[in-house]
């Protein structure tokens, strides 16, 4: 009887439609709030580059807009870890701007870090390999795969990780 190997993929994808909805809800709330009356605050998403651009009057208001956006993202089940914060820059018309890159896929260096962590567990029959923007983990014993998932969930890689295609 041939022994069958099992596998799962570690991915990191963000539903951009949910991010867009959160941006729209944030704009609605900004327009209704008294403390933003007369403010130049804006939240825009570029679906092609997966970036959110926040413009506001000053850094204090920018942080308030960011807090509103984070709250809307959490309600829509989008992980805050999927956001990569750019620097706050001065923009035209006495405003400040910050770009947020939305993570799509696992970056190469994070993939290497994940593979290194899996190898450090010392499970002999487990293999991990980087495939483009995801990591595939294979092994003969499903219990070993479960323990890999548990170990990875305990360590914080500062990225949003999803475990898919478990078979």
């Amino acid at each position: 009887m041939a022994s069958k190997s099992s596998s799962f993929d570690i991915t990191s994808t963000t539903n951009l439609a949910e991010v867009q909805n959160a941006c729209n809800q944030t704009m609605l709330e900004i327009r209704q709030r008294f403390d933003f009356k007369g403010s130049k605050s804006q939240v825009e998403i570029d679906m092609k580059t997966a970036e959110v651009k926040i413009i506001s009057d000053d850094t204090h208001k920018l942080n308030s807009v960011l807090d509103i956006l984070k709250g809307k993202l959490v309600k829509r089940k989008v992980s805050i870890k999927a956001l990569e914060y750019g620097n706050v820059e001065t923009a035209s018309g006495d405003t400040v701007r910050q770009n947020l890159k939305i993570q799509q896929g696992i970056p190469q260096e994070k993939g290497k870090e994940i593979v290194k962590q899996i190898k450090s567990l010392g499970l002999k029959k487990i293999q991990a390999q980087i495939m483009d923007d995801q990591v595939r983990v294979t092994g003969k014993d499903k219990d070993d795969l479960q323990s890999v998932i548990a170990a990875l969930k305990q360590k914080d890689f500062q990225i949003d990780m999803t475990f898919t295609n478990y078979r």
Side-chain angles (χ1 to χ4, degrees):
M1 193 161 113
S3 62
K4 188 176 178 294
S5 69
S6 302
S7 70
F8 68 89
D9 295 334
I10 305 168
T11 61
S12 180
T13 53
T14 306
N15 186 342
L16 291 179
E18 291 294 351
V19 176
Q20 186 174 29
N21 290 337
C23 290
N24 293 340
Q25 287 180 336
T26 302
M27 282 306 299
L28 284 172
E29 185 169 327
I30 288 170
R31 285 191 207 112
Q32 292 172 349
R33 281 184 41 172
F34 179 75
D35 55 337
F36 283 100
K37 198 160 197 79
S39 170
K40 298 173 187 158
S41 298
Q42 269 185 295
V43 179
E44 299 170 354
I45 182 169
D46 185 346
M47 298 292 271
K48 289 184 186 80
T49 61
E51 279 191 337
V52 175
K53 182 167 68 171
I54 301 174
I55 299 171
S56 197
D57 301 333
D58 53 49
T59 50
H60 177 68
K61 276 210 171 96
L62 184 106
N63 288 334
S64 295
V65 172
L66 198 55
D67 286 343
I68 295 168
L69 178 63
K70 285 180 185 176
K72 302 296 182 191
L73 288 170
V74 168
K75 282 183 182 172
R76 302 195 80 72
K77 295 187 176 33
V78 174
S79 175
I80 300 301
K81 288 182 180 180
L83 300 177
E84 196 177 298
Y85 303 93
N87 293 329
V88 177
E89 309 161 340
T90 54
S92 62
D94 293 331
T95 59
V96 290
R97 167 183 59 222
Q98 184 173 25
N99 289 334
L100 306 176
K101 186 106 177 95
I102 301 163
Q103 181 185 325
Q104 295 291 64
I106 296 177
Q108 201 70 27
E109 65 275 358
K110 290 289 180 186
K112 288 177 183 174
E113 199 178 317
I114 292 168
V115 169
K116 185 178 174 189
Q117 176 68 24
I118 292 170
K119 288 186 177 177
S120 75
L121 296 174
L123 300 169
K124 302 244 183 292
K125 295 178 178 145
I126 296 290
Q127 257 101 44
Q129 64 189 57
I130 300 171
M131 299 171 62
D132 295 328
D133 58 355
Q134 66 183 21
V135 177
R136 173 156 294 162
V137 181
T138 54
K140 298 226 182 294
D141 189 7
K142 285 190 176 189
D143 291 338
D144 286 348
L145 292 179
Q146 290 286 347
S147 61
V148 167
I149 291 173
L152 291 176
K153 282 183 177 178
Q154 285 178 348
K155 187 166 176 12
D156 185 17
F157 290 98
Q158 269 106 34
I159 59 169
D160 178 39
M161 292 192 305
T162 314
F163 303 97
T164 60
N165 295 336
Y166 187 84
R167 47 186 118 135

